[in-house]
Amino acid sequence: MTTNTPLRVALSGLGTVGGGVIRLLDANRDLITRRAGRGIEVVAVSARDRSKDRGIDLTRFDWVDDTRELASHPQADVVVELIGGSDGPALTLARSTLAAGKGFVTANKAMLAHHGLELASAAEAAGVPLKFEAAVAGGIPVIKGLREGAAANAIGRVYGILNGTCNFILSKMEAEGRDFAEVLAEAQALGYAEADPSFDIDGIDAAHKLSILASIAFGTRPAFADVAATGVRHVIAADIAEAAALGYKVRLVGVAESGANGLFQRVHPHLVPIDHPLAHVTGSLNAVVAEGNFVGRLFFQGAGAGEGPTASAVVADLIDIARGEFGPPYAMPAASLTAESKADSGERRARAYLRFTVEDKVGVLAEIAAAMRDAGVSIESLIQRGVAADGSVIVAIVTHEGPERSVAHALEKLRGSQSLAGQPLWMPILG
Amino acid sequence: MTTNTPLRVALSGLGTVGGGVIRLLDANRDLITRRAGRGIEVVAVSARDRSKDRGIDLTRFDWVDDTRELASHPQADVVVELIGGSDGPALTLARSTLAAGKGFVTANKAMLAHHGLELASAAEAAGVPLKFEAAVAGGIPVIKGLREGAAANAIGRVYGILNGTCNFILSKMEAEGRDFAEVLAEAQALGYAEADPSFDIDGIDAAHKLSILASIAFGTRPAFADVAATGVRHVIAADIAEAAALGYKVRLVGVAESGANGLFQRVHPHLVPIDHPLAHVTGSLNAVVAEGNFVGRLFFQGAGAGEGPTASAVVADLIDIARGEFGPPYAMPAASLTAESKADSGERRARAYLRFTVEDKVGVLAEIAAAMRDAGVSIESLIQRGVAADGSVIVAIVTHEGPERSVAHALEKLRGSQSLAGQPLWMPILG
């Protein structure tokens, strides 16, 4: 199944992860050769700036100025793409590499979310591997866990903490009782958040990853456009404090479910019960839960980003390829993935947390309570607490289980109310 | 790589797990065919009692009275062994199946702990798969996680909660403040513990599993004889209460480390810090942590036993085989696994918990303190608490970090002391 000739790799992108892949292959060379049954050797590299000091001797590799040429590099068996971006050079490289009959390994969740089906079809047609363990949850082997480890199961639900930046921010808000904007600024200063943090904090990055997980878990076509994504921007310190008082943590959770109703995919801040494993995922860690009809609940946790963990996932893919242990990227032939309609979230039944920032005046509570009653939302608990420096008051409600549609109706009734200072926040409670 | 002819399975053993495999293949048949690229069909079965009602229609399978004959069954590509036992019929079947050039899938941790190297060599010589995901941590894909997911890493340490019965008992002792014997009796009545519970509660079962994990993680020969195993029999309610007061949970943890000192493998009750993921593994769950030099800490959790989870792991192995995605069972050729010497545990440095049950009389504390001093053990905290109904008193000590040898010396000095009522308990603190 394997041969003793090394697997030869062309590497596109020498940023943090690209450099990490080279450092890993250097550091663990002998071990990897033993495990893979053959060596794994980088033969060619390409990046924007040849002269930049990366602390790596690049003279041993063939330098290629135009990254597109890696697809036809005569010495390479596999191309590793670490330049990112859903389209542009990354997509061009992916298409031409697979068309040239070479394997392709990528950490590019955005490209897979948008073009995964096309690329998987191309890889299968060419009979070459397309692998992307590093695209979801960094170093955690969760693509493998779903594609292979849980393969015997019908998966009802897959969900998890898929963005380390958001989890870092929420953990820090929780530990220090601080508000979002302040913690984000600090995370940016420390390099834990991008200068333009929107992809992370608005849930887009997690949505990319969720769409990949859903496809593998359910055997459905990747459907990124159907992921409803809301990030952590509107979570305030008081939400985290109220949640804690009620026995919950606030986490940005991506949830995908497959059912009679269609395919449901959503990234949203959730209240997570303190006895759920996701409640103990702190800092920049990632974690994924898969619920199978025979295995029950599987839980995977680890580092979701960073040089070492991401390089670990990229090289794990290369080892699989070197061993000849690969098959259809989405666990089954791309042509057999089903097109599911988007599930109507209004049908979902859950308990929910609602927080209103209100004016400190007579009749506000009556107005909120009336809107809930009129929409048929049953209130389990209501807490009105304190007065902030700006004179506003927090009202936090936990509803009984009921359809999301009713809660949406209640919020619709309250839209534009003079009693509310700013937008209410709704968070489902993870059940 | 795959064909459209089904993978044909001969199944030895129709107990809980064997029945589960048949039920799973029936329930998820279409999905498995899509994922595996071909059907997976049981063609022959063998068990002790043909007439027993298992709720399964067995008439559709070829019934084989002598399980040894499955190895040469003309319709079978793979034999699944679920009869158990380290030697005897299971081992005979394994040897003859591999010799006959068929694949072999097993959940038999005892057989692998004792004969894994021989069987892996035989499988590799024959070019057929030998797979055993179900042998460690039930439904959790941790063999795959180490063999493939973490394959790019040098693993420094692998450890976890590998026996659900012990974790169930410890969790129940913790939740209800009760003593071991009482909870064990209840677990036996409920069917969570065997009538002869020694394999579980004395740590042998966890030791079998640990030796398998260590071999895959470190590339070393399976060395079950070098696992030091101590179970949970001597943990009392007071230990769990003292640990809780100090910020720890008591868990039976199997730890394997590879270093300059040799290969260290031990199953022992540990104090686990409350912020460590293993502290939140409750009931009969299992969990495994692997620490890699690039990926950092990977954490896997799920159901460690039971019909559904174990069947899930067995069928995951069959799907890998149906896909043609398999290679050397221990991640690298058996002949290349290294023979490591057993590490001297006396050299290990850790903080430790010591509990003495003492007579309520003058001079007892002085005697214990002197023994600690004379052995060079530095005491971080000491609590003497209450008087039990039988007149005895508990003294719980936490030591500063130091070599285990010193603690052993201190306990040696106190051996046979008239001040002690029963054996002291030593538990390392997981660092």
Side-chain angles (χ1 to χ4, degrees):
Chain A
M1 178 180 301
T2 58
T3 68
N4 286 325
T5 59
L7 181 76
R8 298 164 308 172
V9 176
L11 181 57
S12 172
L14 288 171
T16 307
V17 179
V21 168
I22 291 174
R23 274 184 278 270
L24 192 163
L25 289 171
D26 284 346
N28 295 347
R29 176 169 305 280
D30 293 346
L31 186 63
I32 288 170
T33 302
R34 286 174 72 200
R35 291 209 181 114
R38 53 200 283 213
I40 295 178
E41 283 179 17
V42 176
V43 294
V45 295
S46 175
R48 257 178 298 198
D49 182 358
R50 184 173 190 169
S51 60
K52 185 175 170 185
D53 181 12
R54 300 172 174 90
I56 300 169
D57 170 21
L58 297 178
T59 61
R60 56 194 164 136
F61 310 124
D62 181 22
W63 178 274
V64 175
D65 280 318
D66 183 349
T67 202
R68 292 173 299 184
E69 289 177 7
L70 294 179
S72 55
H73 195 282
Q75 269 86 55
D77 306 308
V78 179
V79 172
V80 173
E81 181 272 308
L82 300 168
I83 52 182
S86 62
D87 293 82
L91 183 59
T92 304
L93 182 61
R95 286 173 171 157
S96 53
T97 299
L98 297 170
K102 296 185 197 299
F104 193 77
V105 173
T106 179
N108 190 332
K109 53 223 74 164
M111 180 173 73
L112 290 163
H114 289 282
H115 307 289
L117 190 65
E118 174 204 325
L119 297 176
S121 303
E124 290 166 26
V128 297
L130 165 67
K131 292 188 65 79
F132 43 81
E133 185 63 79
V136 180
I140 313 171
V142 64
I143 298 289
K144 182 173 284 289
L146 287 176
R147 184 188 179 278
E148 301 160 31
N153 293 267
I155 306 287
R157 181 161 72 145
V158 60
Y159 59 106
I161 293 172
L162 299 170
N163 184 274
T165 303
C166 287
N167 209 60
F168 175 85
I169 290 173
L170 290 174
S171 298
K172 214 170 167 63
M173 288 173 68
E174 178 186 308
E176 301 172 8
R178 291 158 71 200
D179 265 319
F180 174 76
E182 210 180 307
V183 172
L184 172 62
E186 192 176 308
Q188 287 173 310
L190 290 168
Y192 293 128
E194 305 284 335
D196 176 1
S198 169
F199 248 51
D200 288 317
I201 67 174
D202 292 326
I204 312 302
D205 173 74
H208 287 147
K209 296 166 180 167
L210 184 67
S211 70
I212 297 168
L213 290 180
S215 181
I216 296 174
F218 308 134
T220 50
R221 291 193 194 159
F224 170 67
D226 290 346
V227 186
T230 302
V232 297
R233 238 181 240 278
H234 303 296
V235 177
I236 62 176
D239 295 321
I240 293 176
E242 293 301 338
L246 293 161
Y248 300 94
K249 302 276 187 181
V250 177
R251 295 285 182 265
L252 185 70
V253 181
V255 180
E257 268 183 51
S258 176
N261 219 356
L263 175 63
F264 173 77
Q265 300 177 97
R266 178 165 65 197
V267 174
H268 201 94
H270 281 70
L271 262 57
V272 177
I274 196 76
D275 61 356
H276 189 288
L278 289 183
H280 302 287
V281 178
T282 54
S284 62
L285 289 175
N286 279 200
V288 174
V289 180
E291 292 171 350
N293 65 339
F294 277 75
V295 76
R297 185 194 276 174
L298 287 176
F299 179 71
F300 304 86
Q301 179 182 300
E307 174 180 329
T310 312
S312 167
V314 168
V315 177
D317 281 348
L318 292 172
I319 293 172
D320 276 352
I321 294 170
R323 285 169 165 167
E325 299 178 12
F326 60 87
Y330 288 92
M332 59 181 70
S336 76
L337 297 172
T338 57
E340 294 287 325
S341 60
K342 181 179 175 178
D344 177 0
S345 66
E347 304 283 321
R348 294 178 65 80
R349 295 181 62 84
R351 292 167 66 231
Y353 167 94
L354 289 160
R355 182 260 304 157
F356 302 89
T357 310
V358 302
E359 305 294 338
D360 188 15
K361 63 181 191 188
V362 172
V364 171
L365 265 187
E367 186 180 345
I368 292 173
M372 297 288 151
R373 178 200 62 208
D374 295 349
V377 176
S378 172
I379 294 175
E380 180 182 305
S381 69
L382 183 151
I383 295 170
Q384 175 176 332
R385 211 185 289 270
V387 178
D390 64 357
S392 66
V393 171
I394 295 294
V395 175
I397 291 174
V398 172
T399 73
H400 282 295
E401 187 176 302
E404 291 188 5
R405 175 170 294 114
S406 305
V407 176
H409 284 171
L411 294 178
E412 188 56 41
K413 282 176 194 295
L414 290 167
R415 185 194 296 268
S417 160
Q418 295 300 309
S419 302
L420 302 190
Q423 282 286 99
L425 180 73
W426 165 80
M427 294 192 278
I429 297 179
L430 193 69
Chain B
M1 177 180 299
T2 56
T3 67
N4 286 325
T5 58
L7 182 75
R8 298 165 306 173
V9 176
L11 181 56
S12 172
L14 287 172
T16 306
V17 179
V21 167
I22 291 174
R23 274 183 279 272
L24 192 162
L25 289 170
D26 284 347
N28 295 347
R29 176 170 306 279
D30 293 346
L31 186 64
I32 289 170
T33 303
R34 287 173 72 201
R35 291 210 180 113
R38 55 200 284 211
I40 297 178
E41 283 179 18
V42 176
V43 293
V45 296
S46 174
R48 256 177 297 198
D49 181 359
R50 184 174 190 167
S51 62
K52 185 175 169 185
D53 181 11
R54 300 173 174 90
I56 299 169
D57 169 21
L58 297 178
T59 60
R60 54 194 164 139
F61 310 125
D62 181 24
W63 178 273
V64 175
D65 280 318
D66 182 350
T67 202
R68 291 174 298 184
E69 289 177 8
L70 294 179
S72 54
H73 195 281
Q75 269 87 55
D77 305 309
V78 179
V79 172
V80 173
E81 180 271 307
L82 299 169
I83 51 181
S86 63
D87 293 82
L91 183 60
T92 302
L93 181 61
R95 286 174 172 156
S96 53
T97 299
L98 297 170
K102 296 185 197 297
F104 194 77
V105 173
T106 180
N108 190 332
K109 53 224 73 167
M111 180 173 72
L112 289 162
H114 289 281
H115 306 289
L117 190 65
E118 174 205 326
L119 296 176
S121 303
E124 290 167 25
V128 296
L130 166 67
K131 291 187 66 76
F132 43 81
E133 186 63 80
V136 181
I140 313 171
V142 65
I143 298 289
K144 182 173 284 289
L146 287 175
R147 183 187 180 278
E148 302 161 30
N153 294 266
I155 306 286
R157 182 161 70 145
V158 61
Y159 58 106
I161 293 172
L162 299 171
N163 184 275
T165 303
C166 287
N167 209 59
F168 175 85
I169 291 173
L170 291 174
S171 297
K172 213 169 168 66
M173 288 173 68
E174 178 185 309
E176 301 172 8
R178 291 157 68 200
D179 265 318
F180 174 77
E182 209 180 307
V183 173
L184 171 63
E186 192 176 308
Q188 286 173 310
L190 291 168
Y192 293 127
E194 306 284 336
D196 176 1
S198 168
F199 248 49
D200 288 318
I201 67 174
D202 291 327
I204 311 302
D205 173 75
H208 286 148
K209 296 166 180 168
L210 184 67
S211 71
I212 297 169
L213 290 180
S215 181
I216 296 174
F218 308 135
T220 49
R221 291 194 194 158
F224 170 67
D226 290 347
V227 186
T230 302
V232 296
R233 237 181 240 278
H234 302 295
V235 177
I236 61 175
D239 295 319
I240 293 177
E242 292 301 338
L246 293 162
Y248 299 94
K249 302 276 188 181
V250 177
R251 293 285 181 266
L252 185 70
V253 182
V255 180
E257 268 183 51
S258 175
N261 220 356
L263 175 63
F264 173 77
Q265 300 176 100
R266 178 164 66 197
V267 174
H268 201 95
H270 280 69
L271 262 57
V272 177
I274 195 76
D275 62 355
H276 190 288
L278 289 183
H280 302 287
V281 179
T282 53
S284 61
L285 289 175
N286 278 200
V288 173
V289 180
E291 292 171 351
N293 65 338
F294 277 76
V295 76
R297 184 194 276 174
L298 287 176
F299 179 71
F300 304 85
Q301 179 184 300
E307 173 179 330
T310 311
S312 168
V314 168
V315 177
D317 281 348
L318 291 172
I319 293 173
D320 276 351
I321 294 171
R323 285 169 165 165
E325 299 177 11
F326 61 86
Y330 288 92
M332 59 182 68
S336 77
L337 297 173
T338 56
E340 293 288 326
S341 60
K342 180 179 177 179
D344 176 1
S345 67
E347 303 284 320
R348 294 178 64 80
R349 296 181 62 84
R351 293 167 67 232
Y353 167 92
L354 289 161
R355 182 259 305 158
F356 301 90
T357 310
V358 301
E359 305 295 338
D360 187 14
K361 63 181 190 186
V362 173
V364 171
L365 266 187
E367 186 180 346
I368 293 173
M372 296 289 151
R373 178 199 62 208
D374 294 349
V377 175
S378 173
I379 294 175
E380 181 182 304
S381 69
L382 183 152
I383 293 170
Q384 175 177 331
R385 213 186 288 270
V387 178
D390 64 358
S392 65
V393 171
I394 296 295
V395 176
I397 291 175
V398 172
T399 72
H400 282 293
E401 187 176 303
E404 291 188 4
R405 175 170 295 113
S406 304
V407 177
H409 284 172
L411 295 178
E412 188 55 41
K413 282 177 193 295
L414 290 166
R415 183 194 297 267
S417 160
Q418 295 301 310
S419 303
L420 302 190
Q423 281 287 98
L425 179 73
W426 164 82
M427 294 192 276
I429 297 180
L430 193 69

